């Protein structure tokens, strides 16, 4: 059995954390890692015991929801709360960090930022990461790795398409079916 890479493992964890988000605009998850061990996780949501966007709606000021605490900050605060040092750690985030999170990550001593998707990437954030010698790398989640039967499904679909083609299904219909199958099995 082939194991998933560390990058995929930690990015999958961040996507799992994002499912706990109460933000109705964008669900984000973050996982802080040191020495290939998870030391904290966070998702964007309201303060503990506070009103949630999913219940009350977003509280927008200048098109920014001020009700939520970002996933990266929640993960850093979890470390602070339990006395876990973040110096030299890495973080996996589902989306590119905002400018404020960028500055907080630098101040927390995070040395590597792995993010899944571009999201309003701020040029100054990249400049600050560069100044602080923080490595920034995009690592998209390969969603198929979460499906333990993906190879069997791909093989079955390919077999079905081959049988349909052999039975004489028109070429334009075959092409449509292939495109539909490709959309099902690729994340975009």
């Amino acid at each position: 059995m082939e194991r998933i890479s560390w990058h995929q493992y930690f990015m999958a964890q961040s996507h799992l954390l994002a499912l706990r988000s109460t933000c109705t605009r964008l669900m984000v998850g973050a996982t802080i890692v040191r020495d290939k061990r998870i030391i904290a996780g966070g998702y964007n949501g309201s303060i503990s015991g506070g009103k949630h966007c999913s219940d009350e709606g977003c509280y927008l000021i200048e098109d920014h929801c001020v009700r939520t605490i970002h996933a990266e900050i929640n993960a850093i605060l979890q470390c602070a709360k339990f006395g876990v040092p973040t110096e030299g750690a890495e973080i996996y985030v589902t989306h590119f960090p905002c400018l404020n999170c960028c500055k907080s990550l630098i101040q927390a001593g995070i040395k590597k930022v792995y993010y899944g998707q571009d999201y309003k990437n701020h040029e100054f954030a990249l400049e600050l990461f560069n100044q602080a010698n923080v490595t920034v790398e995009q690592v998209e989640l390969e969603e198929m790795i979460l499906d333990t039967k993906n190879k069997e499904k791909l093989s079955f679909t390919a077999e079905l398409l081959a049988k349909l083609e052999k039975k004489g299904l028109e070429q334009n219909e075959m092409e449509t079916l292939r495109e539909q199958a490709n959309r099902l099995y690729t994340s975009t």
Side-chain angles (χ1 to χ4, degrees):
M1 178 177 91
E2 187 178 324
R3 296 191 306 171
I4 66 172
S5 72
W6 286 112
H7 284 316
Q8 290 300 304
Y9 173 74
F10 296 127
M11 192 56 74
Q13 178 67 33
S14 293
H15 280 272
L16 213 59
L17 283 161
L19 294 175
R20 290 279 309 150
S21 172
T22 58
C23 179
T24 56
R25 297 177 60 176
L26 183 68
M27 297 170 76
V28 180
T31 304
I32 299 178
V33 174
R34 191 187 319 89
D35 299 324
K36 305 253 185 287
R37 299 290 180 263
I38 296 170
I39 61 173
Y43 52 87
N44 57 332
S46 301
I47 61 168
S48 296
K51 296 176 182 176
H52 295 281
C53 297
S54 56
D55 298 326
E56 304 279 329
C58 291
Y59 182 10
L60 297 178
I61 296 178
E62 297 176 4
D63 199 37
H64 187 77
C65 182
V66 296
R67 188 185 306 277
T68 60
I69 301 169
H70 289 191
E72 301 93 322
I73 303 302
N74 266 329
I76 290 170
L77 291 172
Q78 186 180 48
C79 287
K81 186 174 185 177
F82 295 107
V84 179
T86 54
E87 184 68 37
E90 305 172 349
I91 191 165
Y92 288 79
V93 190
T94 56
H95 297 78
F96 188 86
C98 74
L99 189 53
N100 283 327
C101 286
C102 158
K103 293 185 282 186
S104 296
L105 293 170
I106 291 168
Q107 289 302 95
I110 302 291
K111 289 300 177 194
K112 292 184 181 175
V113 175
Y114 300 102
Y115 70 96
Q117 297 174 30
D118 290 319
Y119 183 74
K120 299 180 180 180
N121 300 26
H122 200 286
E123 279 187 42
F124 190 54
L126 287 168
E127 185 180 324
L128 290 174
F129 281 139
N130 189 43
Q131 285 177 26
N133 294 317
V134 173
T135 303
V136 178
E137 183 181 332
Q138 187 172 16
V139 176
E140 295 182 51
L141 177 65
E142 297 169 18
E143 294 174 12
M144 293 291 285
I145 65 163
L146 300 176
D147 183 353
T148 59
K149 301 273 187 196
N150 72 48
K151 289 179 184 171
E152 291 89 345
K153 290 175 184 177
L154 284 168
S155 178
F156 178 74
T157 302
E159 197 176 306
L160 275 178
L161 290 171
K163 286 181 180 181
L164 287 170
E165 189 170 34
K166 192 174 182 181
K167 292 278 186 187
L169 193 63
E170 290 185 31
Q171 198 58 37
N172 62 340
E173 289 181 85
M174 283 302 303
E175 192 58 38
T176 300
L177 290 174
R178 282 191 188 95
E179 287 172 12
Q180 287 175 332
N182 282 335
R183 280 195 301 274
L184 281 174
Y185 293 112
T186 56
S187 61
T188 51

